[in-house]
mmCIF file of all heavy atoms in Angstrom:
data_model
loop_
_atom_site.group_PDB
_atom_site.id
_atom_site.type_symbol
_atom_site.label_atom_id
_atom_site.label_comp_id
_atom_site.label_asym_id
_atom_site.label_seq_id
_atom_site.Cartn_x
_atom_site.Cartn_y
_atom_site.Cartn_z
ATOM 1 N N LEU A 41 -7.376 24.252 7.103
ATOM 2 C CA LEU A 41 -6.692 23.490 6.061
ATOM 3 C C LEU A 41 -7.375 22.148 5.939
ATOM 4 O O LEU A 41 -7.923 21.631 6.921
ATOM 5 C CB LEU A 41 -5.224 23.245 6.419
ATOM 6 C CG LEU A 41 -4.162 24.274 6.094
ATOM 7 C CD1 LEU A 41 -2.807 23.811 6.617
ATOM 8 C CD2 LEU A 41 -4.090 24.564 4.607
ATOM 9 N N ARG A 50 -5.892 -1.612 -3.642
ATOM 10 C CA ARG A 50 -7.130 -2.036 -4.282
ATOM 11 C C ARG A 50 -8.223 -2.212 -3.235
ATOM 12 O O ARG A 50 -9.380 -1.901 -3.477
ATOM 13 C CB ARG A 50 -6.909 -3.369 -4.996
ATOM 14 C CG ARG A 50 -6.119 -3.284 -6.260
ATOM 15 C CD ARG A 50 -6.100 -4.634 -6.952
ATOM 16 N NE ARG A 50 -5.327 -4.603 -8.175
ATOM 17 C CZ ARG A 50 -5.170 -5.639 -8.970
ATOM 18 N NH1 ARG A 50 -5.732 -6.792 -8.667
ATOM 19 N NH2 ARG A 50 -4.447 -5.535 -10.074
ATOM 20 N N PRO A 64 8.702 19.282 15.937
ATOM 21 C CA PRO A 64 10.143 19.205 16.199
ATOM 22 C C PRO A 64 10.445 18.915 17.667
ATOM 23 O O PRO A 64 9.882 19.560 18.556
ATOM 24 C CB PRO A 64 10.634 20.602 15.808
ATOM 25 C CG PRO A 64 9.652 21.074 14.805
ATOM 26 C CD PRO A 64 8.335 20.517 15.239
ATOM 27 N N ALA A 72 -6.066 11.423 14.569
ATOM 28 C CA ALA A 72 -7.415 10.959 14.243
ATOM 29 C C ALA A 72 -7.335 9.667 13.445
ATOM 30 O O ALA A 72 -6.331 9.392 12.796
ATOM 31 C CB ALA A 72 -8.162 12.025 13.437
ATOM 32 N N SER A 79 -16.483 4.910 11.264
ATOM 33 C CA SER A 79 -16.353 5.224 12.682
ATOM 34 C C SER A 79 -15.053 5.974 12.910
ATOM 35 O O SER A 79 -14.022 5.603 12.354
ATOM 36 C CB SER A 79 -16.365 3.943 13.516
ATOM 37 O OG SER A 79 -17.602 3.283 13.396
ATOM 38 N N ALA A 97 -14.595 5.080 -2.388
ATOM 39 C CA ALA A 97 -14.650 4.995 -3.851
ATOM 40 C C ALA A 97 -13.458 5.705 -4.491
ATOM 41 O O ALA A 97 -13.046 5.356 -5.601
ATOM 42 C CB ALA A 97 -15.951 5.602 -4.352
ATOM 43 N N LYS A 98 -12.915 6.696 -3.794
ATOM 44 C CA LYS A 98 -11.771 7.453 -4.308
ATOM 45 C C LYS A 98 -10.458 7.051 -3.647
ATOM 46 O O LYS A 98 -9.414 7.655 -3.930
ATOM 47 C CB LYS A 98 -11.996 8.952 -4.106
ATOM 48 C CG LYS A 98 -13.161 9.512 -4.895
ATOM 49 C CD LYS A 98 -13.287 11.013 -4.692
ATOM 50 C CE LYS A 98 -14.415 11.582 -5.535
ATOM 51 N NZ LYS A 98 -14.564 13.045 -5.351
ATOM 52 N N MET A 101 -8.525 9.623 2.080
ATOM 53 C CA MET A 101 -8.917 10.027 3.427
ATOM 54 C C MET A 101 -8.637 11.527 3.567
ATOM 55 O O MET A 101 -7.714 12.046 2.924
ATOM 56 C CB MET A 101 -8.100 9.255 4.466
ATOM 57 C CG MET A 101 -8.269 9.738 5.889
ATOM 58 S SD MET A 101 -7.264 8.825 7.078
ATOM 59 C CE MET A 101 -5.598 9.219 6.557
ATOM 60 N N ASN A 106 -9.881 22.966 11.379
ATOM 61 C CA ASN A 106 -10.403 24.314 11.566
ATOM 62 C C ASN A 106 -9.808 24.937 12.826
ATOM 63 O O ASN A 106 -9.295 24.237 13.703
ATOM 64 C CB ASN A 106 -11.923 24.280 11.681
ATOM 65 C CG ASN A 106 -12.591 23.735 10.437
ATOM 66 O OD1 ASN A 106 -12.100 23.896 9.312
ATOM 67 N ND2 ASN A 106 -13.726 23.082 10.618
ATOM 68 N N ILE A 127 -6.962 2.477 16.227
ATOM 69 C CA ILE A 127 -5.998 2.345 17.301
ATOM 70 C C ILE A 127 -5.109 3.575 17.325
ATOM 71 O O ILE A 127 -4.868 4.198 16.289
ATOM 72 C CB ILE A 127 -5.145 1.073 17.131
ATOM 73 C CG1 ILE A 127 -4.592 0.981 15.703
ATOM 74 C CG2 ILE A 127 -5.907 -0.165 17.510
ATOM 75 C CD1 ILE A 127 -3.673 -0.174 15.480
ATOM 76 N N LEU A 132 1.324 0.030 15.440
ATOM 77 C CA LEU A 132 0.437 -0.984 14.868
ATOM 78 C C LEU A 132 -0.005 -0.645 13.444
ATOM 79 O O LEU A 132 -0.743 -1.407 12.833
ATOM 80 C CB LEU A 132 -0.774 -1.176 15.774
ATOM 81 C CG LEU A 132 -0.443 -1.698 17.177
ATOM 82 C CD1 LEU A 132 -1.698 -1.849 18.014
ATOM 83 C CD2 LEU A 132 0.303 -3.029 17.093
#
Side-chain angles (χ1 to χ4, degrees):
L41 274 177
R50 286 186 181 181
S79 296
K98 295 182 177 180
M101 171 181 64
N106 299 329
I127 49 176
L132 297 180

